[in-house]
Amino acid sequence: TFNNLKKKTTIYDIASKLNITAATVSRALNDSELISKKTKKMVLESAHELNYFKNRHALALKSGRTNQIGLVVPFINRHFFSNIIMGVEEELYPKGYQVMIFQSNESEKKEQDIVEALLKNQVDGVLISVSKTTRTKNHFNKIIENNLPLIFFDRKADVENSSSVETDDEFGGKIATQHLIDQGCSQIAYVSVDLNLSIYKNRFKGYKVALEANNIDFDSDLVFQANSDVISGRKTARQILSSDIKIDAIFCSSDYIALGVIHELKDNNVNIPEDISVVGFSNEPFTDLLDLTLTSIEQNPYEIGKSAARVFLDQVNTNDAIIEHSIKLKPKLYVRDSSLKSTQKT
């Protein structure tokens, strides 16, 4: 019955138990220098026994902060995003912040609802990787209007007074393509995810820059669109094999696409890398565990997370949410079996 439900513990309950004033309890819980260590210890022990929790909204009214951060990712179950989450938490938890994690599932509507909920919860800032279906910016502008730090990581939107931490995707696209050219490849197919997203747009740009630097003509017939999954990779490889297009390499903007491509090429008795070299992007854990290990670009997601958290702390500690930071981390190429021609092996 409702009568059996326990009433929420207040500082008055702790005061009554210890026979001291509520003001003393409040000061002890807030680590005031006016209260002795012995009293603080006694109050904290009683608070624990009585299951007392601080009212975050009351704290927010007093200090202007809740010590809660909103972290929004497209997917939680991707190695890349889970490592970003780890980096953020490891940087913020020791500073007393609780990280509230949400996933948009690549839905703009869900992303908007999450931002609305975070603002109602009076978070101290929002760290977000934009959903691939997001086309509007109103929900991001609301964060800025509330004078809260808004930090984009990996995928970003063009929002004034926001900050961003990302991989230098153009450089990643460039070094991956240059590696294939160095292996003797000249007919390099490029498989991209949604080019509306800056990360894929920039990887594509890097691909074209490398071709141009090596006097290789760009051919739009060698550019394919796919989703970032294995099935889509297989489908794209089938499309290439069933056409009259002659290629000697496939650069995939995602490791999941590359995995599907490799499976399909193998099923069609295509020798990798002798006939067709394959390169992926993100350096997912499976890239080094396959029978044919996959050459890929490492993005350092853990460092992206830590950097995004540091940007947030910098803005909060200077009480200026509109300092714009733009950080680009250099990716690294990991060369493995899928692209290394036998003539190049030592």
Side-chain angles (χ1 to χ4, degrees):
T1 63
F2 288 110
N3 291 333
N4 291 329
L5 289 174
K6 284 188 177 180
K7 190 165 67 84
K8 196 173 179 181
T9 303
T10 68
I11 60 171
Y12 297 99
D13 298 317
I14 300 169
S16 175
K17 181 179 188 297
L18 298 174
N19 199 25
I20 57 178
T21 66
T24 301
V25 173
S26 177
R27 289 191 186 108
L29 289 170
N30 288 294
D31 201 23
S32 168
E33 292 176 3
L34 300 171
I35 306 299
S36 69
K37 285 184 180 178
K38 183 183 174 185
T39 303
K40 284 180 190 175
K41 186 172 183 286
M42 206 164 57
V43 168
L44 288 171
E45 283 173 357
S46 294
H48 182 70
E49 283 170 24
L50 296 171
N51 290 320
Y52 170 78
F53 295 100
K54 287 186 180 182
N55 184 325
R56 286 193 177 274
H57 292 289
L59 284 173
L61 287 171
K62 186 178 177 183
S63 68
R65 294 185 188 179
T66 59
N67 279 29
Q68 289 184 322
I69 310 299
L71 177 63
V72 189
V73 294
F75 299 107
I76 289 173
N77 64 350
R78 284 278 170 101
H79 168 78
F80 178 77
F81 290 114
S82 62
N83 265 334
I84 287 176
I85 291 168
M86 193 185 301
V88 170
E89 287 207 310
E90 287 195 10
E91 198 68 33
L92 293 183
Y93 183 73
K95 307 286 193 303
Y97 287 96
Q98 297 290 332
V99 182
M100 302 166 67
I101 302 161
F102 297 85
Q103 63 175 356
S104 65
N105 285 317
E106 301 285 29
S107 160
E108 179 177 29
K109 174 67 170 70
K110 189 172 181 189
E111 187 179 86
Q112 291 168 340
D113 291 344
I114 289 167
V115 168
E116 197 69 39
L118 289 171
L119 291 174
K120 281 180 182 172
N121 266 284
Q122 297 178 299
V123 292
D124 294 341
V126 178
L127 280 60
I128 187 165
S129 187
V130 178
S131 118
K132 72 177 183 182
T133 59
T134 298
R135 299 290 180 267
T136 64
K137 297 189 286 191
N138 288 347
H139 52 309
F140 300 137
N141 289 329
K142 277 185 190 175
I143 298 169
I144 300 297
E145 285 161 15
N146 276 271
N147 201 36
L148 295 174
L150 169 61
I151 298 104
F152 293 106
F153 57 88
D154 186 47
R155 307 176 185 178
K156 66 175 184 177
D158 184 18
V159 176
E160 198 175 339
N161 295 326
S162 67
S163 294
S164 64
V165 178
E166 56 189 326
T167 305
D168 189 339
D169 286 291
E170 183 181 333
F171 179 74
K174 181 181 164 187
I175 60 173
T177 308
Q178 185 61 54
H179 163 68
L180 289 168
I181 294 167
D182 291 343
Q183 299 302 302
C185 303
S186 59
Q187 296 295 109
I188 305 167
Y190 179 73
V191 188
S192 181
V193 187
D194 194 342
L195 285 169
N196 282 305
L197 282 171
S198 59
I199 57 170
Y200 299 114
K201 196 184 293 181
N202 289 330
R203 288 169 200 179
F204 181 44
K205 191 176 175 184
Y207 160 77
K208 292 203 287 186
V209 164
L211 293 179
E212 188 180 339
N214 290 273
N215 298 312
I216 298 171
D217 291 335
F218 169 71
D219 183 352
S220 59
D221 287 342
L222 298 184
V223 179
F224 299 85
Q225 192 92 359
N227 293 320
S228 182
D229 58 58
V230 176
I231 293 169
S232 200
R234 273 188 173 274
K235 187 179 172 185
T236 305
R238 271 199 299 275
Q239 189 182 342
I240 292 169
L241 293 173
S242 62
S243 70
D244 295 328
I245 297 167
K246 299 297 177 203
I247 63 160
D248 49 23
I250 304 175
F251 172 28
C252 307
S253 61
S254 142
D255 284 338
Y256 290 94
I257 294 173
L259 182 58
V261 164
I262 285 173
H263 286 324
E264 193 63 30
L265 293 180
K266 279 185 170 182
D267 287 353
N268 284 274
N269 299 313
V270 174
N271 294 316
I272 309 167
E274 290 77 18
D275 299 332
I276 297 176
S277 292
V278 181
V279 172
F281 207 108
S282 271
N283 204 35
E284 294 285 343
F286 64 76
T287 55
D288 202 22
L289 302 174
L290 302 168
D291 290 340
L292 179 82
T293 56
L294 173 63
T295 295
S296 188
I297 298 286
E298 171 63 62
Q299 294 177 265
N300 293 311
Y302 176 73
E303 193 51 47
I304 290 173
K306 286 183 84 68
S307 295
R310 287 188 206 116
V311 169
F312 163 76
L313 289 170
D314 192 31
Q315 292 179 335
V316 164
N317 292 336
T318 55
N319 288 318
D320 191 349
I322 59 168
I323 301 174
E324 288 191 41
H325 294 261
S326 181
I327 297 172
K328 280 194 178 182
L329 302 175
K330 277 280 186 280
K332 182 181 175 185
L333 176 71
Y334 280 85
V335 177
R336 301 191 181 103
D337 298 338
S338 68
S339 66
L340 202 56
K341 302 284 191 189
S342 55
T343 55
Q344 304 288 331
K345 291 177 183 175
T346 55

